[in-house]
Amino acid sequence: MKVGKVTREVLLILAAFLFLSPVYIMIVNSFKTRQELYENVLALPEQITFEYFEAAISRMNYFTAFTNSLIITIFSVICIVILSSMMAWMLARTDNLLSKLIFMMFIATMLIPFQTIMMPLIQFMDTIMSTLGIPMLNTRGGLIFMHTGFNSAMAVFLYHGFVKSTVPISLEEAATIDGCTKFGLFWRIVFPILKPITVTVMILNVIVIW
């Protein structure tokens, strides 16, 4: 029993080293000169220098790019969470043909790869910019608009299933009897219950958008 346990631990350690080896190679070679890199990829650098880090940061304008990514990701995720949760709740609580068609339309858009609509989407955003004068291309707002629209389908699908299975209608009816408005009902009663799926939606969209 003890031999088997030790064997498993040794195998797990070896597997960990195997999976972490690309990280080691990346870190070690980032400090090497070009000549050292060609001589031995696995060897440690003779002298640690941050010259290549400085060159990469200055050439690609790293901090501006990082700031843009951070702003776009945060605001896109906020928009997706707010709009998708409200949409999913209304679709889940409205039992008619129109709500079912809208929900199926959201599901259908999940099957469309982004690559197939990439160019038409750019043309559409250019049309909005030229027609309405709203800056949509080469702007943070345009990217936030695009990410919000394209990633809302999955969020609506997740929220819709969670509302159907977890949020009791009786709780909403009790809040309505106590005089709660639709707005207050959602934000004060329903949305706090959606915390687990909200975290899931946020994590998935941060990974996708970043």
Side-chain angles (χ1 to χ4, degrees):
M1 192 73 178
K2 183 177 285 187
V3 175
K5 184 178 180 181
V6 171
T7 304
R8 285 196 301 270
E9 289 181 357
V10 170
L11 290 175
L12 287 172
I13 292 172
L14 291 174
F17 277 117
L18 179 64
F19 282 107
L20 291 174
S21 59
V23 179
Y24 165 79
I25 293 172
M26 178 183 67
I27 294 174
V28 166
N29 290 310
S30 65
F31 294 102
K32 291 180 181 178
T33 62
R34 193 179 297 273
Q35 182 179 352
E36 288 179 309
L37 184 63
Y38 289 148
E39 288 176 356
N40 191 342
V41 177
L42 298 177
L44 292 172
E46 295 179 2
Q47 182 180 359
I48 295 178
T49 175
F50 292 93
E51 174 186 353
Y52 298 107
F53 285 95
E54 294 173 359
I57 290 173
S58 61
R59 287 180 184 177
M60 69 180 293
N61 203 358
Y62 175 80
F63 293 108
T64 301
F66 179 82
T67 303
N68 287 335
S69 297
L70 192 64
I71 292 172
I72 291 165
T73 302
I74 290 174
F75 281 96
S76 297
V77 170
I78 290 173
C79 290
I80 290 169
V81 167
I82 293 174
L83 298 177
S84 299
S85 59
M86 290 192 295
M87 172 64 75
W89 178 61
M90 289 304 298
L91 292 176
R93 292 296 184 251
T94 307
D95 188 17
N96 57 40
L97 181 60
L98 180 60
S99 66
K100 293 177 181 177
L101 288 174
I102 294 174
F103 181 65
M104 292 305 298
M105 183 179 66
F106 275 105
I107 301 300
T109 58
M110 292 169 55
L111 305 175
I112 303 173
F114 177 73
Q115 290 78 7
T116 59
I117 66 167
M118 185 166 55
M119 293 307 296
L121 181 61
I122 296 298
Q123 294 172 353
F124 173 70
M125 293 175 72
D126 181 59
T127 303
I128 293 177
M129 187 169 63
S130 59
T131 305
L132 302 177
I134 303 173
M136 300 298 291
L137 297 178
N138 300 318
T139 61
R140 294 171 180 168
L143 283 171
I144 292 170
F145 175 80
M146 181 195 71
H147 284 302
T148 301
F150 192 78
N151 295 300
S152 289
M154 174 64 79
V156 168
F157 173 73
L158 294 173
Y159 274 120
H160 188 275
F162 193 87
V163 169
K164 280 279 191 182
S165 61
T166 306
V167 182
I169 299 178
S170 57
L171 183 63
E172 298 178 21
E173 291 174 345
T176 303
I177 292 172
D178 288 339
C180 198
T181 62
K182 280 281 185 182
F183 186 84
L185 174 62
F186 178 77
W187 289 111
R188 296 172 62 183
I189 307 298
V190 176
F191 191 74
I193 303 175
L194 302 179
K195 189 180 295 183
I197 196 64
T198 297
V199 174
T200 302
V201 169
M202 290 174 67
I203 292 172
L204 290 174
N205 283 285
V206 166
I207 293 171
V208 170
I209 296 169
W210 188 270

